[in-house]
CSV table of all heavy atoms in Angstrom, one decimal:
chain,number,residue,atom,x,y,z
A,48,VAL,N,-0.5,-7.2,19.4
A,48,VAL,CA,-1.8,-7.6,19.6
A,48,VAL,C,-2.0,-8.6,20.8
A,48,VAL,O,-1.1,-9.4,21.1
A,48,VAL,CB,-2.4,-8.3,18.3
A,48,VAL,CG1,-2.5,-7.3,17.1
A,48,VAL,CG2,-1.6,-9.5,17.9
A,49,ALA,N,-3.2,-8.5,21.3
A,49,ALA,CA,-3.6,-9.4,22.3
A,49,ALA,C,-5.2,-9.6,22.2
A,49,ALA,O,-5.8,-9.0,21.4
A,49,ALA,CB,-3.3,-8.9,23.8
A,50,GLY,N,-5.6,-10.5,23.1
A,50,GLY,CA,-7.1,-10.7,23.0
A,50,GLY,C,-7.5,-11.6,21.8
A,50,GLY,O,-8.4,-11.1,21.1
A,51,TYR,N,-6.9,-12.7,21.7
A,51,TYR,CA,-7.2,-13.5,20.5
A,51,TYR,C,-8.6,-14.1,20.7
A,51,TYR,O,-8.9,-14.7,21.7
A,51,TYR,CB,-6.2,-14.6,20.3
A,51,TYR,CG,-6.4,-15.5,19.2
A,51,TYR,CD1,-6.4,-15.1,17.9
A,51,TYR,CD2,-6.6,-16.9,19.4
A,51,TYR,CE1,-6.6,-15.9,16.8
A,51,TYR,CE2,-6.8,-17.8,18.3
A,51,TYR,CZ,-6.8,-17.3,17.0
A,51,TYR,OH,-7.0,-18.1,16.0
A,52,ARG,N,-9.4,-14.0,19.7
A,52,ARG,CA,-10.8,-14.4,19.7
A,52,ARG,C,-11.0,-15.8,19.2
A,52,ARG,O,-12.0,-16.5,19.5
A,52,ARG,CB,-11.7,-13.5,18.9
A,52,ARG,CG,-11.8,-12.1,19.3
A,52,ARG,CD,-12.9,-11.4,18.5
A,52,ARG,NE,-13.0,-9.9,18.9
A,52,ARG,CZ,-12.5,-9.0,18.1
A,52,ARG,NH1,-11.8,-9.3,17.0
A,52,ARG,NH2,-12.6,-7.7,18.4
A,53,GLY,N,-10.1,-16.3,18.4
A,53,GLY,CA,-10.3,-17.5,17.7
A,53,GLY,C,-10.3,-18.7,18.6
A,53,GLY,O,-9.7,-18.8,19.7
A,54,ALA,N,-11.1,-19.7,18.3
A,54,ALA,CA,-11.2,-21.0,19.1
A,54,ALA,C,-10.0,-21.9,18.8
A,54,ALA,O,-9.7,-22.7,19.5
A,54,ALA,CB,-12.5,-21.7,18.8
A,55,ARG,N,-9.4,-21.7,17.7
A,55,ARG,CA,-8.3,-22.4,17.3
A,55,ARG,C,-7.2,-21.5,16.8
A,55,ARG,O,-7.4,-20.4,16.4
A,55,ARG,CB,-8.6,-23.4,16.1
A,55,ARG,CG,-9.7,-24.4,16.5
A,55,ARG,CD,-10.1,-25.3,15.3
A,55,ARG,NE,-11.1,-26.3,15.7
A,55,ARG,CZ,-11.6,-27.2,14.8
A,55,ARG,NH1,-11.1,-27.2,13.6
A,55,ARG,NH2,-12.5,-28.0,15.2
A,56,VAL,N,-5.9,-22.0,16.8
A,56,VAL,CA,-4.8,-21.2,16.6
A,56,VAL,C,-4.6,-20.9,15.1
A,56,VAL,O,-3.9,-20.1,14.6
A,56,VAL,CB,-3.5,-21.9,17.0
A,56,VAL,CG1,-3.5,-22.1,18.5
A,56,VAL,CG2,-3.2,-23.2,16.4
A,57,GLY,N,-5.4,-21.7,14.3
A,57,GLY,CA,-5.3,-21.5,12.8
A,57,GLY,C,-5.6,-20.2,12.3
A,57,GLY,O,-5.3,-19.9,11.1
A,58,LYS,N,-6.3,-19.3,13.1
A,58,LYS,CA,-6.7,-18.0,12.5
A,58,LYS,C,-5.9,-16.9,13.1
A,58,LYS,O,-6.3,-15.7,13.1
A,58,LYS,CB,-8.2,-17.8,12.8
A,58,LYS,CG,-9.1,-18.7,12.0
A,58,LYS,CD,-10.5,-18.3,12.2
A,58,LYS,CE,-11.5,-19.1,11.3
A,58,LYS,NZ,-12.9,-18.6,11.4
A,59,MET,N,-4.8,-17.2,13.7
A,59,MET,CA,-4.0,-16.2,14.3
A,59,MET,C,-3.4,-15.1,13.3
A,59,MET,O,-3.0,-14.1,13.7
A,59,MET,CB,-2.8,-16.8,15.1
A,59,MET,CG,-3.2,-17.4,16.4
A,59,MET,SD,-1.8,-17.7,17.4
A,59,MET,CE,-2.6,-17.7,19.0
A,60,SER,N,-3.3,-15.5,12.0
A,60,SER,CA,-2.8,-14.6,11.0
A,60,SER,C,-3.9,-13.7,10.5
A,60,SER,O,-3.6,-12.8,9.7
A,60,SER,CB,-2.3,-15.4,9.8
A,60,SER,OG,-3.3,-16.1,9.2
A,61,ASP,N,-5.1,-13.8,11.0
A,61,ASP,CA,-6.3,-12.9,10.6
A,61,ASP,C,-6.4,-11.8,11.6
A,61,ASP,O,-6.7,-12.0,12.8
A,61,ASP,CB,-7.6,-13.8,10.7
A,61,ASP,CG,-8.7,-13.0,10.1
A,61,ASP,OD1,-8.6,-11.8,10.0
A,61,ASP,OD2,-9.8,-13.6,9.9
A,62,PRO,N,-6.2,-10.5,11.2
A,62,PRO,CA,-6.3,-9.4,12.1
A,62,PRO,C,-7.6,-9.2,12.8
A,62,PRO,O,-7.6,-8.8,14.0
A,62,PRO,CB,-6.0,-8.2,11.1
A,62,PRO,CG,-5.3,-8.7,9.9
A,62,PRO,CD,-5.8,-10.2,9.8
A,63,SER,N,-8.7,-9.7,12.2
A,63,SER,CA,-10.0,-9.5,12.8
A,63,SER,C,-10.2,-10.4,14.0
A,63,SER,O,-11.1,-10.3,14.8
A,63,SER,CB,-11.1,-9.8,11.8
A,63,SER,OG,-11.1,-11.1,11.4
A,64,GLU,N,-9.3,-11.4,14.2
A,64,GLU,CA,-9.4,-12.3,15.3
A,64,GLU,C,-8.7,-11.8,16.6
A,64,GLU,O,-8.8,-12.5,17.6
A,64,GLU,CB,-8.8,-13.7,14.9
A,64,GLU,CG,-9.6,-14.4,13.9
A,64,GLU,CD,-10.9,-14.9,14.3
A,64,GLU,OE1,-11.1,-15.1,15.5
A,64,GLU,OE2,-11.7,-15.1,13.4
A,65,TRP,N,-8.1,-10.7,16.5
A,65,TRP,CA,-7.5,-10.0,17.6
A,65,TRP,C,-8.2,-8.8,18.1
A,65,TRP,O,-8.6,-7.9,17.3
A,65,TRP,CB,-6.0,-9.6,17.3
A,65,TRP,CG,-5.2,-10.8,17.0
A,65,TRP,CD1,-5.0,-11.4,15.7
A,65,TRP,CD2,-4.4,-11.6,17.8
A,65,TRP,NE1,-4.1,-12.5,15.8
A,65,TRP,CE2,-3.7,-12.6,17.1
A,65,TRP,CE3,-4.1,-11.5,19.2
A,65,TRP,CZ2,-2.9,-13.5,17.6
A,65,TRP,CZ3,-3.2,-12.4,19.7
A,65,TRP,CH2,-2.6,-13.4,19.0
A,66,HIS,N,-8.5,-8.8,19.4
A,66,HIS,CA,-9.3,-7.7,20.0
A,66,HIS,C,-8.6,-6.5,20.3
A,66,HIS,O,-9.1,-5.3,20.1
A,66,HIS,CB,-10.0,-8.2,21.3
A,66,HIS,CG,-10.8,-7.2,22.0
A,66,HIS,ND1,-10.4,-6.4,22.9
A,66,HIS,CD2,-12.2,-7.0,21.8
A,66,HIS,CE1,-11.3,-5.6,23.4
A,66,HIS,NE2,-12.4,-5.9,22.7
A,67,THR,N,-7.3,-6.6,20.8
A,67,THR,CA,-6.6,-5.5,21.4
A,67,THR,C,-5.3,-5.2,20.5
A,67,THR,O,-4.5,-6.1,20.2
A,67,THR,CB,-6.1,-5.8,22.8
A,67,THR,OG1,-7.3,-6.0,23.6
A,67,THR,CG2,-5.3,-4.6,23.4
A,68,TRP,N,-5.2,-3.9,20.2
A,68,TRP,CA,-4.1,-3.5,19.3
A,68,TRP,C,-3.3,-2.3,20.0
A,68,TRP,O,-4.0,-1.5,20.6
A,68,TRP,CB,-4.5,-3.0,17.9
A,68,TRP,CG,-5.1,-4.1,17.1
A,68,TRP,CD1,-6.3,-4.8,17.3
A,68,TRP,CD2,-4.4,-4.7,16.0
A,68,TRP,NE1,-6.4,-5.8,16.3
A,68,TRP,CE2,-5.3,-5.7,15.5
A,68,TRP,CE3,-3.2,-4.5,15.3
A,68,TRP,CZ2,-5.0,-6.5,14.4
A,68,TRP,CZ3,-2.9,-5.3,14.3
A,68,TRP,CH2,-3.7,-6.3,13.8
A,69,GLY,N,-2.0,-2.3,19.9
A,69,GLY,CA,-1.2,-1.2,20.4
A,69,GLY,C,-1.3,-0.1,19.3
A,69,GLY,O,-1.9,-0.2,18.3
A,70,GLN,N,-0.5,1.0,19.6
A,70,GLN,CA,-0.6,2.2,18.8
A,70,GLN,C,0.4,2.0,17.6
A,70,GLN,O,0.4,2.8,16.7
A,70,GLN,CB,-0.2,3.4,19.6
A,70,GLN,CG,1.3,3.6,19.9
A,70,GLN,CD,1.8,2.7,20.9
A,70,GLN,OE1,1.1,2.0,21.6
A,70,GLN,NE2,3.1,2.8,21.1
A,71,GLY,N,1.3,1.0,17.7
A,71,GLY,CA,2.3,0.8,16.7
A,71,GLY,C,3.6,1.5,16.9
A,71,GLY,O,3.7,2.5,17.5
A,72,THR,N,4.6,0.9,16.5
A,72,THR,CA,6.0,1.4,16.5
A,72,THR,C,6.6,1.2,15.1
A,72,THR,O,6.6,0.1,14.5
A,72,THR,CB,6.8,0.8,17.6
A,72,THR,OG1,8.1,1.5,17.8
A,72,THR,CG2,7.0,-0.7,17.4
A,73,GLN,N,7.3,2.3,14.7
A,73,GLN,CA,7.9,2.2,13.3
A,73,GLN,C,9.2,1.5,13.3
A,73,GLN,O,10.1,1.9,14.2
A,73,GLN,CB,8.1,3.7,12.8
A,73,GLN,CG,8.8,3.8,11.5
A,73,GLN,CD,7.9,3.3,10.3
A,73,GLN,OE1,6.7,3.6,10.2
A,73,GLN,NE2,8.5,2.5,9.4
A,74,GLY,N,9.4,0.7,12.4
A,74,GLY,CA,10.7,0.1,12.2
A,74,GLY,C,11.1,0.3,10.8
A,74,GLY,O,10.4,0.0,9.8
A,75,THR,N,12.3,1.0,10.6
A,75,THR,CA,12.7,1.4,9.2
A,75,THR,C,14.2,0.8,8.9
A,75,THR,O,15.1,0.9,9.8
A,75,THR,CB,12.8,2.9,9.2
A,75,THR,OG1,11.6,3.5,9.4
A,75,THR,CG2,13.3,3.3,7.8
A,76,VAL,N,14.3,0.1,7.8
A,76,VAL,CA,15.5,-0.6,7.5
A,76,VAL,C,15.9,0.1,6.1
A,76,VAL,O,15.2,0.0,5.1
A,76,VAL,CB,15.3,-2.1,7.3
A,76,VAL,CG1,16.6,-2.8,7.0
A,76,VAL,CG2,14.6,-2.7,8.5
A,77,SER,N,17.1,0.6,6.2
A,77,SER,CA,17.6,1.3,4.9
A,77,SER,C,18.6,0.3,4.3
A,77,SER,O,19.4,-0.5,4.9
A,77,SER,CB,18.3,2.6,5.3
A,77,SER,OG,19.4,2.4,6.3
A,78,SER,N,18.7,0.5,3.0
A,78,SER,CA,19.6,-0.4,2.2
A,78,SER,C,21.0,0.1,2.1
A,78,SER,O,21.2,1.3,2.4
A,78,SER,CB,19.0,-0.7,0.8
A,78,SER,OG,18.9,0.6,0.1
């Protein structure tokens, strides 16, 4: 993610505060 909208860093864990998202990459961990 990029394009953080928040005025403060405290909302960085909120997905809605980020403007730009990548397409995603799968990470799989097997036991």
